[in-house]
Amino acid sequence: QVQLVESGGGLVQAGGSLRLSCAASGRTFSSYTMGWFRQAPGKEREFVAAIWSGIMRNYADSVRGRFTISRDNAKNTVSLQMNSLKPEDTAVYFCAADPSGRRSYTPDEYDYWGQGTQVTVSS
């Protein structure tokens, strides 16, 4: 069983930055694919970024070039650095873990989820 706890959300003005962190339990964290998803009110949960096989990363087109996903396997953490934030980035952001270690982009591929952290970007 893996438990994920997100932190770092908040209110920021457009153009600002936030850094989200996710602390994970479990001894096999380093082998998991870790992802960030977000869900805005009335919308489906959508992929934001994923990291797997140590250094492989991918991003949604809407955040590529502005967001950076990283992980620290020694500390069992994964982070999402969000720069140049836009009002349309406003959502609840979720950390997720996929034990397969493969490239994973859809919510169904992830077995473990955090409780989410709110990010609000004002215009």
Side-chain angles (χ1 to χ4, degrees), residues 52-115:
W52 72 98
S53 297
I55 59 172
M56 301 300 291
R57 297 173 174 85
N58 198 33
Y59 301 91
D61 290 343
S62 58
V63 308
R64 186 173 287 114
R66 300 187 298 122
F67 291 11
T68 302
I69 188 171
S70 60
R71 69 193 299 165
D72 185 336
N73 290 333
K75 297 181 179 179
N76 276 17
T77 59
V78 61
S79 299
L80 185 69
Q81 178 66 42
M82 305 186 295
N83 298 328
S84 302
L85 282 161
K86 305 175 181 180
E88 51 264 43
D89 294 318
T90 296
V92 177
Y93 283 70
F94 297 89
C95 173
D98 171 13
S100 76
R102 297 189 301 262
R103 181 177 62 182
S104 305
Y105 298 155
T106 65
D108 289 346
E109 296 176 282
Y110 288 80
D111 291 345
Y112 304 103
W113 292 84
Q115 82 287 352

Side-chain angles (χ1 to χ4, degrees), residues 3-71:
Q3 292 185 327
L4 304 173
V5 179
E6 302 100 333
S7 61
L11 173 65
V12 65
Q13 288 188 333
S17 298
L18 281 175
R19 185 177 181 86
L20 305 183
S21 293
C22 174
S25 65
R27 292 175 291 178
T28 57
F29 170 81
S30 61
S31 67
Y32 287 10
T33 297
M34 299 300 297
W36 286 96
F37 289 78
R38 67 186 181 187
Q39 188 166 17
K43 295 188 176 181
E44 293 186 352
R45 192 167 298 189
E46 65 174 3
F47 170 78
V48 175
I51 185 168
W52 72 98
S53 297
I55 59 172
M56 301 300 291
R57 297 173 174 85
N58 198 33
Y59 301 91
D61 290 343
S62 58
V63 308
R64 186 173 287 114
R66 300 187 298 122
F67 291 11
T68 302
I69 188 171
S70 60
R71 69 193 299 165

